[in-house]
């Protein structure tokens, strides 16, 4: 249902651009009401697709590539609808409606899958440090006690080179140009 609603939104965006391009084919004025009604229907279809995705995912998630591209297309379409309503002119639809359809098409091709949450990204970053949470200025069990600092910023221990943060007892120099 989500993909079908997005395809309906894409079709409406492109149909609105085609309606706005009618004055180029023959000497008539573009129907602003027609363009706005097609855009409104496309925005509603797009919004219903994102609401269905949020219900399916269990939360409003814009962290994946597909959902964020789809949301970008929706924001462009809503902005276009607002500008068309205030300006009562359909000329901007020629450019912006296809521009709103492009990220929506890409999101539909990629697929709407939620990305990693901030909690899982933090957990995966801390896997290599040997600790469950991030505690600054404490050595990890891999590095052991009393490391010495290389010029490259890595730490030499009796077990080898370790690139984690120094222990709390090591002197800290924040002046990188003239370390003391």
């Amino acid at each position: 249902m989500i993909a079908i609603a997005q395809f309906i939104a894409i079709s409406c965006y492109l149909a609105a651009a085609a309606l706005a391009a009618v004055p180029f084919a023959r000497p008539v004025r573009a129907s602003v009401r027609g363009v706005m009604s097609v855009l409104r229907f496309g925005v509603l279809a797009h919004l219903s697709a994102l609401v269905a995705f949020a219900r399916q995912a269990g939360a409003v998630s814009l962290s994946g590539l597909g959902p964020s591209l789809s949301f970008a297309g929706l924001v462009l379409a809503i902005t276009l609808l607002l500008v068309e309503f205030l300006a009562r002119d359909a000329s901007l639809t020629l450019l912006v409606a296809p521009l709103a359809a492009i990220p929506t098409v890409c999101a539909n091709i990629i697929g709407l899958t939620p990305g990693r949450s901030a909690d899982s990204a933090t957990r995966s970053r801390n896997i290599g440090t040997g600790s469950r949470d991030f505690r600054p200025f404490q050595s990890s069990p891999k590095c052991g006690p009393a490391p010495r600092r290389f010029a490259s910023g890595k730490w030499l221990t009796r077990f080898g080179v370790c690139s984690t943060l120094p222990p709390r007892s090591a002197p800290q120099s924040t002046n990188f140009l003239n370390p003391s």
Side-chain angles (χ1 to χ4, degrees):
M1 179 191 140
I2 296 171
I4 293 170
Q6 280 196 332
F7 277 129
I8 291 171
I10 293 164
S11 300
C12 288
Y13 297 156
L14 295 178
L19 276 175
V22 166
F24 291 117
R26 53 186 184 168
V28 293
R29 199 153 181 262
S31 172
V32 177
R33 284 187 183 176
V35 169
M36 284 180 50
S37 64
V38 172
L39 271 175
R40 190 176 310 125
F41 185 70
V43 165
L44 288 176
H46 202 152
L47 193 59
S48 69
L50 285 179
V51 167
F53 168 69
R55 283 188 179 171
Q56 179 184 351
V60 179
S61 173
L62 299 176
S63 59
L65 181 61
S68 46
L69 281 172
S70 182
F71 187 72
L74 178 66
V75 167
L76 276 170
I78 289 173
T79 305
L80 174 64
L81 188 63
L82 182 68
V83 168
E84 296 292 332
F85 176 73
L86 293 175
R88 298 281 185 207
D89 187 32
S91 60
L92 194 60
T93 307
L94 286 170
L95 179 68
V96 180
L99 192 63
I102 290 171
T104 309
V105 167
C106 292
N108 219 348
I109 290 171
I110 292 170
L112 292 180
T113 55
R116 293 188 327 176
S117 65
D119 185 40
S120 65
T122 304
R123 236 180 285 128
S124 67
R125 182 192 70 206
N126 289 336
I127 285 174
T129 61
S131 63
R132 292 192 129 257
D133 57 346
F134 182 71
R135 293 187 183 115
F137 305 115
Q138 287 185 350
S139 64
S140 67
K142 297 190 299 189
C143 287
R148 290 179 300 180
R149 187 170 185 176
F150 277 123
S152 66
K154 297 190 183 244
W155 295 84
L156 176 66
T157 66
R158 63 181 181 186
F159 302 114
V161 175
C162 183
S163 61
T164 59
L165 293 173
R168 196 180 301 254
S169 62
Q172 294 296 314
S173 171
T174 56
N175 186 357
F176 297 110
L177 298 176
N178 189 10
S180 55

